[in-house]
Amino acid sequence: MRAEEITGRPERELVLERDVEIVRDKMRVTADSACYRQVESEIEAKNNIRVWRFGDYYTADEFKINTETGVGYMLQPTYKLELNNAQGTAQRINFLSQDEAVVVNGTYSTCEGPNPDWYLRSNTLNLDMGRETGTARGTVVYFKDVPLIGTPALSFSLSGERRSGWLPAVPGFSSRGSAELLLPYYFNIAPNRDLTLYPRYISRRGLQLGAVGRYMGETDAGTYEGRTLIEYLPHDKEAGFDRWQVNSNHTQALAKDWSFGWNVRAASDDNYPNDFSKTVAGSAERQLLRELRTDYAGEYWSLTARVQKYQVLQDPDTTTPTPHPYNRLPAINFHAARYDIAGFDWQVDSEVTRFDHPTLINGNRMVVVPQVSYPIISPSWFVTPKLMLNASAYQLDDWKNTGTGQLDKGRSETRAIPTFSLDSGLEFERSTKLFGRALTQTLEPRLFYVYTPYRDQTNIPNFDTADATFNFSQIFSENRFVGSDRISDANQVTAAVVSRFLEESGAERLRLALGQRFYFREPRVTLDGSGSAAAGSRSDLLLAAAGRISETWGIDSAVQYNPDDKRVISSNLNLQYQPGPKKVVNAGYRFLRGNFKNVDFSGQWPLTQKWFGVGRLSYSMQDHRILESLIGVEYNCDCWVFRAGAQRFVTTANKASTQFFFQLELTGLSKLGIGNPLEVMKNSIPGYQRINEVPRR
């Protein structure tokens, strides 16, 4: 301690006058006068007091504290907290311990300056630095000196970390459910577990009850995690019956290399996604999977067993029914592989499945696919010959064909089809520049030959097979179908060339690709067993370009072009311009001949230093219809943020939903408003960034 004048009794009491400074551990006090009582370990100071305590800063007219226990008080104080940069004034502060203080008749705000834009005024405000929570009694929240909300009790986090308590009420308004009010209560059960309960009142429907539980952890066997959502609306006033949905997933390690999990989706009726979903993806979901699975892996093999069943929801506004996939009751898959065994690579994939369908033929299928290859690899070229065999056996049930009214007797079918392939390629490199940056450019030509003899497969049902999407991954595969019920005959070669631009670190800056498949014999196998594949002598031409071509520009594009008809079959182009933080513009174009032709624009951009605009427009050029639109603004004033806007998206073939939102976020305290604009903007705009930093320790 230091002062202009020190008097008192040795080892008892010291009286300090003028320019007083006292330092003890993590506390520093300056004042006009002070008294230190050594026996009681007590400091008492008066007039022009400044206190730095554990990083927090105070001023006061009078200050008294026990340096051992941290118990004391301040009169007419101001304070500023290090944890979240909050500040305020008070009639008195009572220090209950080193970590806990009670502000009496005081204010609290995270805004800088003597006249904060927002603040709360409370009778008592308990600041617990150990638990990083604040609890206020008799509170009124002011914004621009206008009272917004009053409450007898209010609790909030001082650090932005999770904590139990009522979350801000979320009013909402949409064209589907009219006005609604969500009142969530959050239980922070443990650092790795939480639960949110929420009643939601929907004016046109009634009271919906919901719960979301999340957990993750680790046992001696390994990790586990999961999430379950349950919603229940008793007697929907508009629909006239109970409505509900369940969404649950879980994965867990049972032992070393052994795990299990489930994925359960269910809804009460076909219209549930249309009426209650808040996103485009949610409203379009029609095939709800229910799956239970277990996986076991050895050093060179793995075994998976699963049971899958689907609930199919039909779109009431379209005459095209949603197809019902086959249920797998069960499916058992085995995979084994070894590499570089005397230069050879081999693997075996096998599957045994029971297929079940409410209206189609049912049966059992066993598939075994062994293959062996001999890779010959050098630094600048490779050649890989491979032999494989697809062997299948079917045991089919009796089936009454609803189309013909005839009964098909159960029967057995077998099939064994060999395939030979030869993969080869070269790699050349050179130094080059791209947009002024020194890079390494590669040129990688590749040839891939496949021969599979023709086998008639018209007597085999199609349980799970479809045409593979024609892209760069598929043209280097042996089968042009996805699934095991159809094996395409082939006598073909794929020619492609890829050029990559690599940085010195090895990171890929840009990739250009060109590829096409040439048929020495036209394939004859089709999905339904009728007609011809009609491939001609060559496939469509594939072109692609993707990468981060500069620090601000990114591109992802692909084109499928038919050189015989001289027309584009499908194309996909996405551009992203991101010159800095909170600045992003996205432009996209998606086209599939005979199906859709869509454009998509989205972005986030500063309009002024504090105002930001956000928006998205997804438009169907084929149907002349807006699929999704979003417009909004954000205002960042450091200690508070305002967001407002509206979103509209298609829910069924003939219906759309519009929802409005606005929100006032008082940084470090709470969010007030209608809807959840943060979630909407994040999901709708790739590259969106929050305009205010969340306070963290």
Side-chain angles (χ1 to χ4, degrees):
M1 54 190 73
R2 182 173 64 184
E4 290 293 327
E5 180 181 340
I6 301 178
T7 60
R9 294 179 294 166
E11 299 183 2
R12 291 286 184 179
E13 182 181 85
L14 294 177
V15 178
L16 300 92
E17 299 290 344
R18 300 191 306 280
D19 295 333
V20 176
E21 182 181 22
I22 303 173
V23 178
R24 169 69 183 264
D25 293 335
K26 296 183 179 180
M27 180 177 68
R28 175 171 171 255
V29 181
T30 64
D32 287 348
S33 63
C35 177
Y36 175 60
R37 301 179 182 90
Q38 188 170 353
V39 175
E40 295 85 356
S41 297
E42 198 172 76
I43 296 174
E44 186 174 357
K46 293 184 178 181
N47 300 328
N48 293 323
I49 299 167
R50 305 286 186 272
V51 179
W52 293 262
R53 185 172 181 264
F54 302 106
D56 301 332
Y57 172 69
Y58 305 85
T59 68
D61 291 342
E62 184 176 327
F63 175 51
K64 184 177 181 180
I65 195 165
N66 186 299
T67 58
E68 298 292 338
T69 65
V71 176
Y73 67 87
M74 279 183 175
L75 299 183
Q76 303 302 321
T78 68
Y79 65 91
K80 187 171 185 178
L81 306 181
E82 180 189 41
L83 184 62
N84 60 351
N85 203 38
Q87 62 179 16
T89 62
Q91 179 183 344
R92 179 186 178 101
I93 295 181
N94 294 323
F95 297 100
L96 307 183
S97 67
Q98 302 284 11
D99 295 326
E100 190 174 4
V102 176
V103 179
V104 180
N105 292 333
T107 64
Y108 174 91
S109 177
T110 57
C111 296
E112 298 278 359
N115 299 306
D117 286 347
W118 74 264
Y119 60 92
L120 65 83
R121 182 176 296 278
S122 61
N123 296 334
T124 59
L125 173 61
N126 184 287
L127 302 175
D128 192 333
M129 302 302 175
R131 297 171 56 198
E132 298 181 352
T133 60
T135 306
R137 305 286 181 183
T139 303
V140 178
V141 179
Y142 291 84
F143 181 73
K144 297 292 186 179
D145 291 326
V146 177
L148 282 185
I149 186 173
T151 175
L154 175 69
S155 61
F156 53 93
S157 172
L158 297 176
S159 63
E161 298 295 333
R162 300 182 298 127
R163 59 178 302 277
S164 298
W166 288 101
L167 300 178
V170 184
F173 181 81
S174 73
S175 58
R176 288 176 299 169
S178 187
E180 63 180 55
L181 179 64
L182 179 72
L183 293 172
Y185 189 89
Y186 179 78
F187 293 93
N188 186 26
I189 301 171
N192 61 332
R193 292 181 179 86
D194 62 15
L195 173 67
T196 304
L197 302 178
Y198 57 90
R200 176 191 281 121
Y201 179 74
I202 306 172
S203 61
R204 282 165 45 182
R205 301 187 181 276
L207 181 64
Q208 181 189 63
L209 303 176
V212 180
R214 304 182 301 174
Y215 54 86
M216 62 186 301
E218 188 171 359
T219 65
D220 293 339
T223 60
Y224 65 89
E225 63 177 324
R227 178 183 184 273
T228 296
L229 176 145
I230 299 174
E231 290 182 342
Y232 176 66
L233 175 60
H235 193 73
D236 186 327
K237 291 186 294 185
E238 194 167 277
F241 53 88
D242 295 351
R243 314 284 297 278
W244 55 267
Q245 83 158 329
V246 175
N247 181 357
S248 178
N249 59 73
H250 174 87
T251 58
Q252 181 171 353
L254 297 176
K256 185 179 183 299
D257 300 323
W258 185 21
S259 64
F260 90 103
W262 67 73
N263 183 11
V264 177
R265 303 295 307 274
S268 58
D269 57 274
D270 292 341
N271 283 319
Y272 198 93
N274 314 339
D275 294 338
F276 297 100
S277 176
K278 301 294 184 182
T279 64
V280 178
S283 64
E285 195 168 19
R286 294 290 163 186
Q287 297 174 339
L288 306 184
L289 174 65
R290 305 169 188 178
E291 178 185 55
L292 178 65
R293 64 179 293 153
T294 183
D295 301 86
Y296 191 84
E299 185 177 2
Y300 304 112
W301 58 274
S302 63
L303 181 68
T304 299
R306 54 182 172 163
V307 177
Q308 289 182 328
K309 196 168 185 178
Y310 289 87
Q311 178 187 2
V312 177
L313 308 179
Q314 300 297 334
D315 187 341
D317 292 334
T318 181
T319 57
T320 304
T322 302
H324 196 302
Y326 270 93
N327 302 317
R328 292 174 170 86
L329 305 173
I332 301 173
N333 297 76
F334 175 79
H335 170 80
R338 292 292 303 273
Y339 301 98
D340 198 17
I341 305 300
F344 287 90
D345 296 343
W346 65 264
Q347 73 179 53
V348 176
D349 292 280
S350 63
E351 172 195 347
V352 178
T353 308
R354 170 65 182 179
F355 289 97
D356 178 82
H357 196 281
T359 60
L360 301 179
I361 187 171
N362 298 327
N364 305 321
R365 184 185 71 191
M366 182 174 70
V367 180
V368 179
V369 184
Q371 56 181 293
V372 61
S373 62
Y374 189 81
I376 305 170
I377 302 174
S378 83
S380 59
W381 58 270
F382 72 90
V383 176
T384 305
K386 181 166 70 173
L387 281 172
M388 60 190 302
L389 177 70
N390 188 296
S392 306
Y394 292 78
Q395 182 62 51
L396 306 177
D397 298 349
D398 294 344
W399 177 58
K400 184 175 182 180
N401 191 322
T402 56
T404 64
Q406 297 178 349
L407 179 66
D408 291 344
K409 292 292 186 179
R411 66 186 191 276
S412 299
E413 298 286 348
T414 59
R415 178 190 63 194
I417 304 177
T419 295
F420 169 76
S421 68
L422 182 66
D423 197 3
S424 61
L426 300 170
E427 182 172 335
F428 304 95
E429 293 184 357
R430 69 164 187 166
S431 297
T432 187
K433 287 189 176 183
L434 182 66
F435 299 105
R437 181 189 296 267
L439 299 171
T440 298
Q441 182 186 9
T442 70
L443 185 66
E444 304 168 36
R446 182 178 176 184
L447 289 176
F448 180 67
Y449 174 75
V450 180
Y451 177 78
T452 304
Y454 170 77
R455 296 290 186 271
D456 184 8
Q457 302 165 54
T458 55
N459 290 331
I460 296 176
N462 184 0
F463 290 135
D464 63 357
T465 302
D467 285 311
T469 302
F470 191 66
N471 53 37
F472 274 95
S473 298
Q474 194 278 326
I475 63 174
F476 289 103
S477 64
E478 287 81 5
N479 192 12
R480 57 189 176 87
F481 300 113
V482 175
S484 300
D485 296 313
R486 296 290 183 271
I487 305 301
S488 174
D489 57 314
N491 187 6
Q492 63 196 35
V493 64
T494 297
V497 61
V498 175
S499 182
R500 296 182 296 155
F501 293 81
L502 307 175
E503 295 183 347
E504 185 178 356
S505 64
E508 186 176 282
R509 174 64 68 175
L510 178 64
R511 176 190 290 256
L512 306 173
L514 171 69
Q516 191 172 20
R517 180 183 288 163
F518 298 90
Y519 301 100
F520 300 116
R521 186 186 66 230
E522 292 187 18
R524 298 164 56 189
V525 177
T526 58
L527 283 177
D528 58 6
S530 63
S532 170
S537 63
R538 57 182 176 176
S539 73
D540 295 336
L541 184 66
L542 292 177
L543 304 97
R548 200 75 190 173
I549 57 178
S550 71
E551 296 301 324
T552 58
W553 282 97
I555 184 174
D556 184 9
S557 63
V559 175
Q560 178 182 344
Y561 177 76
N562 188 317
D564 296 327
D565 297 337
K566 294 181 173 54
R567 63 179 186 174
V568 174
I569 303 301
S570 69
S571 61
N572 178 49
L573 173 63
N574 292 291
L575 292 172
Q576 185 178 78
Y577 177 62
Q578 197 166 17
K582 307 173 187 65
K583 294 180 178 180
V584 62
V585 176
N586 305 289
Y589 173 78
R590 296 175 63 242
F591 168 73
L592 179 61
R593 187 167 297 279
N595 286 273
F596 57 79
K597 186 178 181 182
N598 301 339
V599 292
D600 193 297
F601 302 95
S602 64
Q604 174 192 27
W605 202 263
L607 305 177
T608 65
Q609 186 176 359
K610 294 182 178 294
W611 282 98
F612 295 78
V614 296
R616 180 179 182 181
L617 176 66
S618 181
Y619 182 75
S620 172
M621 301 173 68
Q622 180 171 290
D623 300 328
H624 304 288
R625 183 184 187 189
I626 295 177
L627 304 177
E628 181 183 3
S629 59
L630 166 70
I631 186 169
V633 293
E634 298 180 283
Y635 181 79
N636 183 11
C637 197
D638 299 327
C639 62
W640 60 271
V641 174
F642 175 73
R643 304 178 180 94
Q647 181 190 34
R648 181 177 176 84
F649 57 89
V650 172
T651 57
T652 67
N654 300 319
K655 293 182 180 179
S657 173
T658 303
Q659 56 182 343
F660 305 93
F661 52 82
F662 70 85
Q663 183 183 80
L664 178 63
E665 178 181 351
L666 307 179
T667 305
L669 184 68
S670 186
K671 302 182 185 74
L672 308 172
I674 292 178
N676 192 343
L678 265 179
E679 182 179 358
V680 172
M681 294 172 183
K682 181 179 178 181
N683 293 337
S684 300
I685 304 171
Y688 170 83
Q689 293 179 314
R690 189 168 178 167
I691 64 172
N692 63 324
E693 296 295 330
V694 181
R696 298 284 182 183
R697 178 182 284 278

